[in-house]
Amino acid sequence: MFLILALISVGIAILFWLLDRVTLSPKGRYVLITGCDTGFGNALAKSLDRQGCNVFATCLTPNGAKTLEECTSDRLHVIMMDVLKSESIKEAFEEVQKKLPQGSGLWGLVNNAGVTGNVGYYDWWTRDDFRRILEVNLLGVIEVTNVFLPLVKKVKGRIVNMSSGIALAPCSAGGYAISKVGIETYSDCLRLQLHHFQTSVHIIEPSFFQTDGMQRKKAFDDPLERAWSRMSKEQQDAYGRSCIDEFKQLYGEISKTADTRIHLVTDSIEHALFAKYPWKRYPVGGLIRFVARPGGLLPSFIGDFLRYNFVPFPKPHRGQIRREDTNATREQQNVNGTREGLDCGLENIRRDTKSD
């Protein structure tokens, strides 16, 4: 009996493995990818171009657009687009419409454009700091999807949204984690809504990968220094300068050890676009697949306990501040005592002089 169950299990596993590798041809299909200046979007655009796919690659900077055009074929069309500007998104839509053959639509829409967020404690950041992250990573995705959705529906295509493994176990990622949790919920709701139009939605959840967004100074050090400089004296005393330095050190180590195999992410996006039976979610990286996602199923009190004790999250150094304040107070008291002693000594000398 056990042998029969084992054979059935192995057979099912092999069947799923085979079905997972059934793919559609990318040749002749049209895919739009946002955020192609660098990173995942840039690598994906080049890969799809090599496979014969027609790519609309949106870039934010002229330099990024020029660099991409120089190393790709005429199947790839670079379009300037800023996801923060509604007018720019509409202009990009009109340009895509003009370049699409009559009766065609977009087989794929890959919402990849995004920015890294401010790390650390939430009360370090202002409303404007949160606004920029949410407008790019969440509201930008929603608006781009709404504008291009008719072209995706037209051919019953696929939407691929870039989330992050940090959405599964948010800790110190500031507004970035909030925006990516929003992407998860938005994508789940959108998938249910588009089911009636036979249009699918897929989520990519990468771990830490070495991209331009992981550049330590630009992404982490500079914002942390800016946060420290505008803190009130009360906030600085509550957290301590060493807390800022520990965050910089932590994310410096993360930047150094981030995975350089960007193809793992682009391969997942390609599977979402062209697999016959694509997944709803793609956790990319062992940390996400075997730690963060299973950890998200734990009761909150257990998950919190593990994060408090095993996640390297810098803590406020209030004790250190208090010790420093105490030492400073003692030193000041000693100085005051010395001054009082000198004053008394001088007063005694004056009295003795007058007596003489």
Side-chain angles (χ1 to χ4, degrees):
M1 186 62 168
F2 175 79
L3 181 60
I4 294 174
L5 291 175
L7 291 174
I8 292 174
S9 299
V10 171
I12 292 174
I14 292 174
L15 177 62
F16 273 97
W17 185 83
L18 292 173
L19 291 176
D20 194 50
R21 279 151 182 76
V22 179
T23 59
L24 307 172
S25 174
K27 290 184 178 180
R29 299 180 189 271
Y30 290 83
V31 175
L32 184 141
I33 310 166
T34 67
C36 294
D37 297 79
T38 58
F40 300 137
N42 185 277
L44 177 65
K46 293 175 182 176
S47 177
L48 295 186
D49 176 59
R50 288 193 297 267
Q51 297 177 58
C53 186
N54 298 290
V55 180
F56 295 107
T58 75
C59 291
L60 179 63
T61 65
N63 184 56
K66 181 183 177 182
T67 304
L68 186 58
E69 283 181 323
E70 289 175 348
C71 61
T72 52
S73 73
D74 57 3
R75 287 186 299 271
L76 187 142
H77 308 280
V78 174
I79 299 174
M80 301 303 295
M81 187 178 81
D82 184 351
V83 298
L84 286 173
K85 300 177 181 178
S86 299
E87 192 61 35
S88 177
I89 296 173
K90 291 176 183 176
E91 290 174 0
F93 174 76
E94 292 171 1
E95 189 171 347
V96 169
Q97 270 193 317
K98 291 177 183 177
K99 293 183 182 296
L100 281 172
Q102 188 68 29
S104 296
L106 288 175
W107 172 256
L109 169 60
V110 181
N111 283 305
N112 168 73
V115 294
T116 52
N118 302 314
V119 300
Y121 290 86
Y122 283 129
D123 60 333
W124 294 358
W125 310 109
T126 66
R127 184 187 187 97
D128 288 338
D129 292 325
F130 285 105
R131 180 185 290 115
R132 179 175 180 272
I133 300 167
L134 294 174
E135 284 186 346
V136 175
N137 293 359
L138 180 58
L139 300 182
V141 170
I142 294 172
E143 185 169 8
V144 168
T145 302
N146 285 345
V147 170
F148 286 93
L149 189 56
L151 296 179
V152 182
K153 285 181 178 178
K154 193 172 185 178
V155 293
K156 300 175 182 177
R158 300 177 182 182
I159 297 171
V160 182
N161 290 333
M162 183 66 70
S163 179
S164 170
I166 204 70
L168 307 178
C171 193
S172 62
Y176 183 76
I178 297 173
S179 68
K180 293 307 181 180
V181 170
I183 285 293
E184 295 272 334
T185 303
Y186 167 68
S187 300
D188 285 337
C189 294
L190 186 65
R191 184 176 64 250
L192 296 175
Q193 293 177 6
L194 295 182
H195 173 74
H196 303 290
F197 298 93
Q198 299 180 43
T199 298
S200 59
V201 180
H202 312 273
I203 306 171
I204 309 298
E205 300 166 335
S207 181
F208 296 106
F209 283 84
Q210 193 63 259
T211 64
D212 282 4
M214 286 295 291
Q215 289 180 355
R216 174 179 173 178
K217 182 172 175 56
K218 179 181 176 183
F220 308 118
D221 288 9
D222 290 348
L224 284 168
E225 287 296 337
R226 187 170 64 250
W228 176 256
S229 67
R230 68 189 180 196
M231 283 185 195
S232 65
K233 181 65 166 61
E234 182 181 2
Q235 278 183 302
Q236 290 183 347
D237 289 345
Y239 289 102
R241 171 68 206 191
S242 54
C243 188
I244 293 283
D245 294 336
E246 286 181 14
F247 267 112
K248 291 168 67 174
Q249 182 180 357
L250 171 63
Y251 279 88
E253 291 299 320
I254 291 175
S255 298
K256 291 177 183 177
T257 59
D259 202 326
T260 58
R261 298 172 297 170
I262 292 179
H263 70 87
L264 295 178
V265 179
T266 57
D267 288 348
S268 296
I269 299 173
E270 290 178 22
H271 190 276
L273 287 171
F274 303 116
K276 180 71 173 177
Y277 307 101
W279 305 357
K280 299 296 185 281
R281 277 181 167 78
Y282 290 82
V284 187
L287 181 65
I288 304 304
R289 183 173 294 183
F290 302 113
V291 178
R293 178 155 288 287
L297 303 176
L298 295 173
S300 294
F301 74 95
I302 297 178
D304 288 350
F305 173 81
L306 295 175
R307 292 189 186 101
Y308 292 149
N309 292 281
F310 298 103
V311 175
F313 186 85
K315 297 176 175 58
H317 288 259
R318 290 172 296 178
Q320 175 187 344
I321 297 297
R322 287 168 183 161
R323 285 195 299 273
E324 291 173 355
D325 289 346
T326 301
N327 292 335
T329 301
R330 287 175 180 169
E331 289 176 4
Q332 187 62 44
Q333 289 173 346
N334 291 335
V335 170
N336 292 339
T338 303
R339 287 176 179 171
E340 290 174 0
L342 289 172
D343 290 341
C344 290
L346 289 172
E347 184 63 29
N348 291 333
I349 292 171
R350 291 193 192 99
R351 289 175 182 172
D352 292 341
T353 303
K354 288 180 182 179
S355 298
D356 292 341

